[in-house]
Amino acid sequence: MVEDLEMKKVYAVIGLGRFGGSVCRELSQEGKEVLAIDLNEERVNEFKDIASYAVIADSTDETTLKELGIQNIDHVIVAIGDNIQASILTTVILADLGIKKITVKAQNDYHEKILNKIGAHQVVHPERDMGRRLAHSLISSNILDYLELSEDHSMVEVKAGRKMVGKTLKEMDIRAKYGCNVVAIRRGKQMNVSPSADYSLQEDDILIVIGADKDISKFERQLIIDE
Ligand code: ATP
C-alpha cells in the first residue's frame, strides 16, 4: 500500500541544466512521473522522450505555472543555475501556491539563506558538497564518503585504519577522545547498527561516524590519516 502511494508521487524539475537534467533522468529511470520545465527549447526537446511531460515555460510566471497544474505536483525541484533572481522568484511562487515539497539548488551561501527564508523545504548545494567530499577523499583513501548533516555536523564513512584493527570500541574510546559517535559498522555485507562497546574491529571494517565537524576532523587526523 505504501509503495502504491509512493508510486503515485509526481515530480516537477524546473531548469534542465546538468544538475536538473540529471535529477530528471534518474527520477524518470526510477519510473516516476516527472514534469520537466525549461525556458530553453533545445533543452526541453532533449527531455521529450525521457520525462513524462516536457514543456517550454518561464517558471517566474505564476499564471503559466498554474496552467501547467503545478499545484498538483507533490515535489518540485528548482534547478535554475546562474539566474539567482529567477530561482528566488520561482521559489516564492511555489511556496505561495502551497507546494508540499520544494527542493532548490543554491549557487552560494547567501542564496541558500534566502531560499530557506522564503519557504524552500530543502536547499541543496551540489557543487560545494561535491568539493568537500572530494577534498576528504583526497586527504586519505580510507575516507570513503563524507556527508554534511547540518552547518557544523557531518557524517563520514571510513575504513578502519591500522591503528584500530584488533581494538574494541571501548578501548578506542572514540566518543570521549574525539567527541564523535560510531553509529554503525559495516563488515562485508553485514551492517551492524549501534555496535556494542566490545565490538572488536577488523581490517576492512567500515565505520560510519557522526559528529561535529571539528571533532570529525580530529578523529580523521589521528586515527585515519597517516597510516
Ligand atoms: P549545471 O549545468 O551544472 O546544473 P546550472 O545549474 O548553472 O549548471 P544552467 O545551465 O544554468 O545550469 O541551467 C539552468 C537551466 O535553467 C537552464 O537550462 C535555463 O534555461 C533554465 N532556466 C533559467 N531560468 C529559467 C526560468 N525562469 N524558467 C525555466 N527555466 C529556466
Side-chain angles (χ1 to χ4, degrees):
M1 189 60 189
V2 174
E3 207 172 76
D4 274 346
L5 286 174
E6 187 63 22
M7 290 294 288
K8 282 190 193 127
K9 201 163 159 186
V10 183
Y11 297 83
V13 177
I14 301 176
L16 303 168
R18 271 170 305 176
F19 176 72
S22 154
V23 171
C24 186
R25 262 193 204 94
E26 290 297 318
L27 287 170
S28 304
Q29 245 167 40
E30 292 296 321
K32 304 293 179 195
E33 201 168 329
V34 185
L35 166 63
I37 301 171
D38 201 293
L39 269 179
N40 181 304
E41 185 176 355
E42 272 172 47
R43 293 233 162 129
V44 172
N45 283 337
E46 253 181 73
F47 286 86
K48 279 247 144 68
D49 298 327
I50 297 166
S52 323
Y53 318 93
V55 293
I56 306 165
D58 181 350
S59 61
T60 61
D61 183 348
E62 184 170 353
T63 315
T64 309
L65 284 185
K66 278 187 181 160
E67 279 167 8
L68 287 172
I70 203 86
Q71 278 135 309
N72 303 321
I73 306 276
D74 302 293
H75 192 161
V76 181
I77 297 99
V78 182
I80 295 174
D82 299 335
N83 191 342
I84 292 184
Q85 189 176 323
S87 155
I88 291 172
L89 254 173
T90 303
T91 308
V92 169
I93 295 170
L94 295 171
D96 247 14
L97 291 174
I99 302 294
K100 272 180 264 158
K101 181 93 200 250
I102 308 167
T103 299
V104 192
K105 175 187 153 174
Q107 286 295 92
N108 53 50
D109 293 346
Y110 180 60
H111 187 195
E112 179 170 358
K113 267 198 185 127
I114 296 173
L115 293 171
N116 282 321
K117 285 216 164 82
I118 61 174
H121 302 111
Q122 181 184 27
V123 178
V124 292
H125 222 311
E127 282 94 356
R128 186 191 61 191
D129 294 349
M130 200 55 220
R132 287 187 179 167
R133 274 188 178 169
L134 178 65
H136 281 262
S137 69
L138 293 174
I139 292 168
S140 165
S141 58
N142 283 341
I143 300 171
L144 305 175
D145 206 353
Y146 176 90
L147 184 72
E148 195 180 84
L149 299 175
S150 73
E151 226 167 82
D152 46 15
H153 283 76
S154 305
M155 188 197 86
V156 283
E157 198 180 271
V158 295
K159 231 194 287 178
R162 239 185 306 154
K163 292 170 196 160
M164 299 178 168
V165 172
K167 294 207 176 114
T168 63
L169 290 177
K170 194 175 175 184
E171 281 169 334
M172 286 191 300
D173 213 4
I174 294 174
R175 194 179 314 160
K177 281 193 186 142
Y178 308 101
C180 8
N181 282 297
V182 178
V183 292
I185 296 174
R186 201 163 66 225
R187 181 171 289 170
K189 284 189 179 144
Q190 212 181 334
M191 189 73 166
N192 201 316
V193 181
S194 299
S196 65
D198 54 9
Y199 191 101
S200 176
L201 287 165
Q202 288 180 6
E203 206 177 333
D204 293 333
D205 275 356
I206 295 179
L207 287 79
I208 290 125
V209 182
I210 284 183
D213 289 338
K214 62 172 181 22
D215 295 331
I216 294 255
S217 293
K218 197 167 147 199
F219 166 78
E220 282 178 359
R221 276 199 308 273
Q222 305 205 1
L223 283 180
I224 307 296
I225 306 168
D226 294 326
E227 286 295 301

